[in-house]
Amino acid sequence: MATLTIAQPRIALIDPQDCTDSADSLAMLDAVFDPLVRRIGPGRFAPALAEEWQQPDARTTLFRLRPGAKFHDGTACDAEAAALSLRRMADPAVGATLGAPGVWAQYLAGSTATAVNSRTLRLVTTRDIADILDIVAAGPIVAPTALDAADIAGRWVGTGPWRLAGHDDDGVRMAATEPGLPDLLWRRLAEPRERISALRDGAVDIATRIDPASTDLPTCTVTDPTAIICLLNAARGPCADPHVRRALNLAIDRPALIAAVLQGHADPLGGFVSPRHFGFDPAAPAARHDPAEARRLLAEAGHSGLALIADWPTRLPDEAPALLPALQAQLAAIGVTLSAHIEPDRVRYAERVRDSDIANLCLFDSSPLSTFRVLAEKIDSRVAGSWWLGYHNPAVEALLDQARNITDTPPREALYRRCYRLLQDDPPWLTLYTHRKSAAGRGTLAFRDDGVLDVRATAGRKI
């Protein structure tokens, strides 16, 4: 069988159970690993390693595993093996993301994952988490023999349709484990023009993260649900005033910003989560641009003019340098002067945000596709998570408490829609946009609900 070659900006092998929002890493992980369940839409999940599941209450989930599943090393993927992966995710030393360690431990620490029998796994958390599938859907089940491997590559032993076959400067190679599938070669080509050139020359079959106008080959464009935002310092300074936070949001002409900075390759963000999120309210007002109302709110807050300081990265998002002057110009129209402290070290930048060591605002993103996680980690003042900056909304927190207890999907979605409206009226952040991402290739391209290349469907695997 031929090899399917995929060019993307990054091909690093990471710990499979890291909490990552890198589409490049997630596409590679999805080829090698299966989670217990797979997200297929807002609030919707499909079988993966678990063929069915039940939530008798908001702390207990029973998973019935599919029969005969084996890891690439030949060992059985039974309930005890899956439990070991969940126990590892509960370790605060596991599940790091940029600037924030132990993300999964926030939900799984103290939980018990036990094998009732060879095919039945019981997960019991220490507090109500009706959205527990959001967590396990992001957790690859790793072979017990690989959980404590000395090297990262040695941990890439899963149950997916491809196994890790090697990696070097030329790329990451994966061998198909099922008949009819091609082998995979993942190549790192950092620049979009390199990826398009390699695709045009036939050196690769798929090029991700490209400008669709740069090729005449078939392209596929999807919305990335990651929200590009400015976190506002609601603990101190002018942005502690809800009038100021709302004024800043009304000052932004998002379509103009998108046209100037991203040549139109983004969608305006009208609330704290994207339209791809569970609980997004399609009936809620769209993002509003009203400079006159913004100036009125600033005056009501006692500001005839306002000077703000932003902390700003040089990448992630990669358009950060171009976004700053465009944002400065729009805010100047309502009498806000924005100066910036530029931090070129992206890890240091994330650490400073985590430590709340920012001035008035900072460019960031909100990447979890889980609305529950966004509320719990970034907005709930009682948790005061890594990316929480002093915002407090008792009404939203009360709705979140109710949602934690309701395992039935429609009423929980209704609660999150109410949160969406409340957070439009009292925004915790300056919301900007979500990216559109394009890929080109020969044949049909498919993407997951989170905007990640679905290499299984692209390669023709039947789910």
Side-chain angles (χ1 to χ4, degrees):
M1 179 62 67
T3 297
L4 183 69
T5 303
I6 303 164
Q8 56 185 33
R10 302 175 183 86
I11 58 168
L13 295 175
I14 64 172
D15 186 318
Q17 293 181 323
D18 276 354
C19 177
T20 181
D21 60 3
S22 165
D24 297 340
S25 294
L26 289 170
M28 294 170 64
L29 287 166
D30 192 46
V32 173
F33 297 96
D34 291 304
L36 288 169
V37 298
R38 197 174 304 282
R39 189 193 305 276
I40 57 170
R44 297 168 53 229
F45 298 87
L49 279 173
E51 59 184 13
E52 59 184 32
W53 54 91
Q54 297 176 329
Q55 285 183 278
D57 58 61
R59 297 191 183 196
T60 306
T61 312
L62 293 167
F63 298 94
R64 178 73 169 168
L65 304 190
R66 70 180 191 231
K70 290 187 178 295
F71 292 105
H72 300 148
D73 62 4
T75 58
C77 181
D78 56 16
E80 180 55 31
L84 287 172
S85 275
L86 292 180
R87 291 173 203 158
R88 183 174 185 267
M89 287 177 66
D91 185 339
V94 174
T97 190
L98 195 63
V103 173
W104 309 129
Q106 297 175 90
Y107 309 104
L108 297 178
S111 65
T112 58
T114 55
V116 177
N117 54 48
S118 63
R119 288 183 55 202
T120 305
L121 167 66
R122 178 190 289 117
L123 175 63
V124 181
T125 55
T126 57
R127 62 179 305 188
D128 294 335
I129 307 178
D131 289 278
I132 192 64
L133 296 186
D134 280 350
I135 310 304
V136 300
I141 301 301
V142 182
T145 55
L147 285 175
D148 297 316
D151 64 313
I152 291 295
R155 293 185 193 152
W156 281 58
V157 183
T159 56
W162 289 272
R163 64 173 177 82
L164 185 65
H167 61 102
D168 52 32
D169 292 341
D170 292 329
V172 173
R173 297 179 298 283
M174 296 179 182
T177 63
E178 300 176 4
L181 291 179
D183 293 339
L184 301 179
L185 173 61
W186 305 81
R187 289 187 56 195
R188 178 185 178 274
L189 297 175
E191 297 299 325
R193 62 179 180 273
E194 294 180 276
R195 298 193 288 279
I196 286 294
S197 178
L199 181 64
R200 187 181 300 115
D201 296 343
V204 304
D205 301 297
I206 297 172
T208 67
R209 304 274 294 278
I210 55 98
D211 179 354
S214 64
T215 178
D216 56 2
L217 288 169
T219 60
C220 182
T221 299
V222 296
T223 297
D224 182 342
T226 298
I228 305 303
I229 60 177
C230 288
L231 294 174
L232 301 177
N233 190 341
R236 60 185 182 278
C239 295
D241 187 332
H243 292 76
V244 173
R245 296 196 300 270
R246 185 157 176 76
L248 295 177
N249 275 277
L250 290 169
I252 304 304
D253 182 344
R254 291 162 182 81
L257 198 68
I258 290 165
V261 177
L262 292 163
Q263 296 71 56
H265 298 314
D267 295 307
L269 185 65
F272 83 106
V273 290
S274 81
R276 304 287 287 275
H277 280 73
F278 181 57
F280 166 79
D281 188 348
R288 182 176 157 209
H289 176 226
D290 191 339
E293 176 65 6
R295 287 190 289 269
R296 187 193 70 78
L297 286 168
L298 288 179
E300 192 173 306
H303 302 288
S304 56
L306 183 61
L308 297 178
I309 302 172
D311 290 274
W312 213 259
T314 54
R315 65 181 186 89
L316 298 179
D318 293 339
E319 72 272 13
L323 178 58
L324 178 60
L327 196 64
Q328 288 171 321
Q330 291 202 3
L331 291 177
I334 66 163
V336 173
T337 302
L338 182 67
S339 59
H341 171 260
I342 308 298
E343 175 54 76
D345 184 333
R346 191 56 176 80
V347 174
R348 172 60 183 146
Y349 181 81
E351 290 172 343
R352 287 185 53 216
V353 177
R354 178 198 64 198
D355 296 338
S356 301
D357 182 20
I358 70 161
N360 304 119
L361 66 152
C362 62
L363 181 64
F364 216 66
D365 61 41
S366 179
S367 59
L369 193 50
S370 164
T371 301
F372 164 69
R373 280 189 55 204
V374 175
L375 289 167
E377 294 173 20
K378 302 185 177 186
I379 291 176
D380 192 336
S381 65
R382 301 160 302 178
V383 175
S386 297
W387 315 125
W388 176 77
L389 291 178
Y391 181 80
H392 179 47
N393 189 315
V396 169
E397 291 172 0
L399 292 172
L400 177 58
D401 287 345
Q402 292 179 53
R404 283 180 172 273
N405 291 278
I406 299 175
T407 58
D408 193 20
T409 300
R412 197 166 74 257
E413 181 178 34
L415 291 172
Y416 287 147
R417 286 185 174 184
R418 290 172 62 188
C419 288
Y420 187 87
R421 293 281 190 127
L422 287 170
L423 292 168
Q424 280 189 314
D425 293 337
D426 180 20
W429 313 320
L430 174 56
T431 58
L432 299 176
Y433 49 78
T434 55
H435 290 112
R436 293 181 197 154
K437 296 193 302 189
S438 297
R442 295 169 178 82
T444 302
L445 298 175
F447 284 80
R448 302 185 334 191
D449 189 57
D450 57 1
V452 172
L453 178 69
D454 188 338
V455 69
R456 299 181 185 218
T458 297
R461 184 181 189 266
K462 302 298 183 184
I463 302 299

